[in-house]
Amino acid sequence: MASSCGRKDPRVPVIASLVPFLLLLIVSCSASAKKDGGGGGKGARAQVLFRAGDELAAYRRIASRMARMEKDSNKTIQAIFLVTCPLCLGAISLWRRRLPGSPDGDIIHCVPSHRQPAFDHPKLRGQKPEDEPVVRPVPKGGAAAEEEAAALFPQAWSDGGERCPEGTVPIRRTTAQDVLRADSARRFGMKPRASNARRDSTSSGHEHAVGYVTGDQFYGAKASLNVWSAKVASAAEFSLSQIWVISGSFGNDLNTIEAGWQVSPELYGDSNPRFFTYWTTDAYQETGCYNLHCSGFVQTNNRIAIGAAISPTSVYNGRQFDISLLIWKDPHRGNWWLQLGSGPLVGYWPSFLFTHLGGHANMVQFGGEVVNSRPSGSHTPTQMGSGHFPREGFNRAAYFRNVQVVDGDNSLVPAAALRLVADHPGCYDIRGGYNRAWGNYFYYGGPGRNVHCP
């Protein structure tokens, strides 16, 4: 991995030996681009794709933010090869196995924490991140917090021990290709307007298998969920597993805070499962975004990159790898914090972002969601979770375990009366239970299109 710290790179002889190879790749890719009618440049392509004034203005705002992140960065961690030419991919994959670097091709900028996108917000401009709360949720009765081995889960970009310096936060670079894959520059980094939280009814094009609790005042939620490389059939679809903290009606005033893992080729340009966050205050209409794509979530952690790939992942009939997430409301300052299990904090959503969640949540939801675009008129084969039904159980199906909520005393308690529901059980199903080791748990997911899901 290369950085801008000024140290002599011990790989220079290796890189020098690759110069002829790189030149050949560049020539090949240039020829390929010309053959395909390219050559206008990213800016020209944006001009063509985003003709409307507001779309082009949005693209330019994103480009300006990308340039500022790079300028503000005091360290950059990146892969050696960032070529996307189809003719070059095979050769690049061979060289990547021989060289260090981020295997997912991400570029991570280490940006001073007060220069991250959140501080573009008028209410945060000129400020710095708040101090981390001293008091955090603990199990009811004051028992010691559960130890999670994967509290600080590894990511591909930091496999070699890389981290950002103190006082900075790692921000995954947004590329022009990321924006150009989106249908709209103005809504880049946002979910579709259709409601993606479930309330006993199927959202248009979105299918769920979830457990949820409702009818009380909730101040957070916690669970451990295993991570899979779910297969997504097309760039128009995604597969995710997450925690939702919800308040308001299911009309245009819906407030949600969300975190988990997601496979989204359109958003990230690949099929790696990635750690993500989301928020909205108007049912995904005009507010909120994924990760750090807008002024909202304030990151405080210098070792976790939101939007970066999670590695390793679970293996069918093999080792299971899960992450533990806790979302909770600080009773003193009112901000909603994201924590890795019983370990470090990632950052917070400022309370002023929300209307209903300015007080408390009235629903908490756990589980999986996919987008079903019905290619060729039939159900998508996009997988949820592991792509296997919950009846296959441990080592094969995706799961949530130790499903808990935070009560008004800032205590973690089991998610009592957890209801389980699947929109289309023949496509994606859910089954739950309870035991002393896992507390409240459930298995969920499925393959999508099959003989029972035409």
Side-chain angles (χ1 to χ4, degrees):
M1 286 170 278
S3 76
S4 58
C5 294
R7 295 194 303 267
K8 184 176 180 181
D9 194 333
R11 297 166 301 175
V12 168
V14 179
I15 296 173
S17 69
L18 296 177
V19 169
F21 174 72
L22 288 170
L23 290 174
L24 178 61
L25 289 179
I26 292 169
V27 171
S28 299
C29 290
S30 299
S32 176
K34 290 178 181 178
K35 183 178 179 181
D36 293 339
K42 297 185 184 76
R45 188 178 174 204
Q47 294 275 358
V48 173
L49 293 181
F50 304 133
R51 292 181 184 277
D54 59 344
E55 284 290 300
L56 192 55
Y59 178 84
R60 287 171 174 163
R61 282 196 300 272
I62 296 169
S64 176
R65 185 168 69 236
M66 294 185 324
R68 194 191 77 210
M69 291 296 103
E70 185 166 2
K71 180 181 178 181
D72 289 344
S73 174
N74 63 17
K75 181 179 182 182
T76 297
I77 304 165
Q78 59 186 335
I80 292 175
F81 296 108
L82 295 172
V83 185
T84 58
C85 167
L87 298 177
C88 312
L89 290 178
I92 289 172
S93 64
L94 293 175
W95 284 106
R96 273 184 173 165
R97 287 197 287 270
R98 297 174 56 184
L99 294 170
S102 175
D104 54 9
D106 284 349
I107 299 176
I108 305 295
H109 292 308
C110 299
V111 177
S113 57
H114 66 285
R115 297 285 290 169
Q116 63 183 290
F119 292 94
D120 292 339
H121 196 287
K123 291 188 177 181
L124 292 178
R125 202 163 289 150
Q127 300 181 36
K128 294 183 177 181
E130 292 189 2
D131 293 335
E132 296 182 348
V134 176
V135 179
R136 305 184 188 182
V138 296
K140 200 77 168 181
E146 174 195 3
E147 293 295 327
E148 285 105 355
L152 186 61
F153 55 85
Q155 295 181 297
W157 72 277
S158 57
D159 275 351
E162 284 279 9
R163 70 175 67 182
C164 285
E166 293 293 331
T168 71
V169 295
I171 298 181
R172 178 182 180 269
R173 177 190 281 182
T174 299
T175 68
Q177 288 87 350
D178 292 336
V179 184
L180 295 174
R181 280 194 306 272
D183 291 336
S184 164
R186 190 173 63 84
R187 291 189 58 81
F188 172 71
M190 300 176 70
K191 286 188 177 183
R193 285 190 173 90
S195 172
N196 293 317
R198 193 186 191 285
R199 186 199 57 179
D200 285 339
S201 61
T202 304
S203 302
S204 176
H206 294 256
E207 297 183 16
H208 307 79
V210 298
Y212 68 95
V213 291
T214 188
D216 203 348
Q217 295 185 4
F218 304 107
Y219 296 85
K222 181 180 181 182
S224 296
L225 55 156
N226 58 347
V227 182
W228 296 86
S229 296
K231 292 181 173 59
V232 174
S234 75
E237 299 177 346
F238 64 67
S239 179
L240 60 77
S241 298
Q242 68 172 52
I243 298 173
W244 291 259
V245 176
I246 304 167
S247 192
S249 72
F250 279 74
N252 289 338
D253 65 340
L254 182 73
N255 287 202
T256 75
I257 289 173
E258 308 168 26
W261 64 264
Q262 175 187 44
V263 177
S264 177
E266 181 179 283
L267 186 60
Y268 303 107
D270 60 28
S271 296
N272 293 314
R274 293 173 176 272
F275 177 45
F276 82 95
T277 64
Y278 201 89
W279 67 276
T280 182
T281 61
D282 60 357
Y284 311 94
Q285 299 295 306
E286 301 295 334
T287 65
C289 63
Y290 281 110
N291 308 331
L292 304 179
H293 286 306
C294 65
S295 54
F297 186 82
V298 179
Q299 184 160 343
T300 58
N301 191 296
N302 70 327
R303 297 181 63 184
I304 294 295
I306 302 174
I310 301 172
S311 175
T313 59
S314 299
V315 177
Y316 185 80
N317 267 338
R319 180 175 179 266
Q320 299 302 290
F321 184 80
D322 64 24
I323 60 176
S324 182
L325 301 176
L326 167 62
I327 300 169
W328 60 282
K329 186 178 178 66
D330 176 12
H332 301 292
R333 301 299 297 269
N335 300 319
W336 289 87
W337 283 84
L338 175 60
Q339 183 173 333
L340 299 178
S342 303
L345 298 173
V346 180
Y348 63 92
W349 293 268
S351 60
F352 66 74
L353 293 174
F354 304 101
T355 51
H356 299 292
L357 280 175
H360 59 269
N362 55 28
M363 174 184 275
V364 174
Q365 187 169 289
F366 312 81
E369 175 188 351
V370 300
V371 172
N372 174 25
S373 62
R374 296 193 64 81
S376 304
S378 58
H379 196 283
T380 180
T382 285
Q383 298 176 339
M384 179 187 291
S386 69
H388 293 264
F389 285 113
R391 62 175 176 266
E392 296 192 39
F394 186 67
N395 275 2
R396 298 175 180 88
Y399 63 74
F400 275 70
R401 62 182 178 87
N402 293 317
V403 177
Q404 301 170 82
V405 296
V406 180
D407 67 13
D409 295 327
N410 202 34
S411 297
L412 281 162
V413 297
L418 184 69
R419 297 180 60 187
L420 305 180
V421 62
D423 294 336
H424 300 287
C427 308
Y428 314 106
D429 205 0
I430 185 168
R431 295 183 182 183
Y434 174 87
N435 62 42
R436 293 184 63 182
W438 277 21
N440 288 319
Y441 71 89
F442 59 83
Y443 293 100
Y444 70 100
R449 186 167 65 223
N450 66 87
V451 294
H452 303 293
C453 176

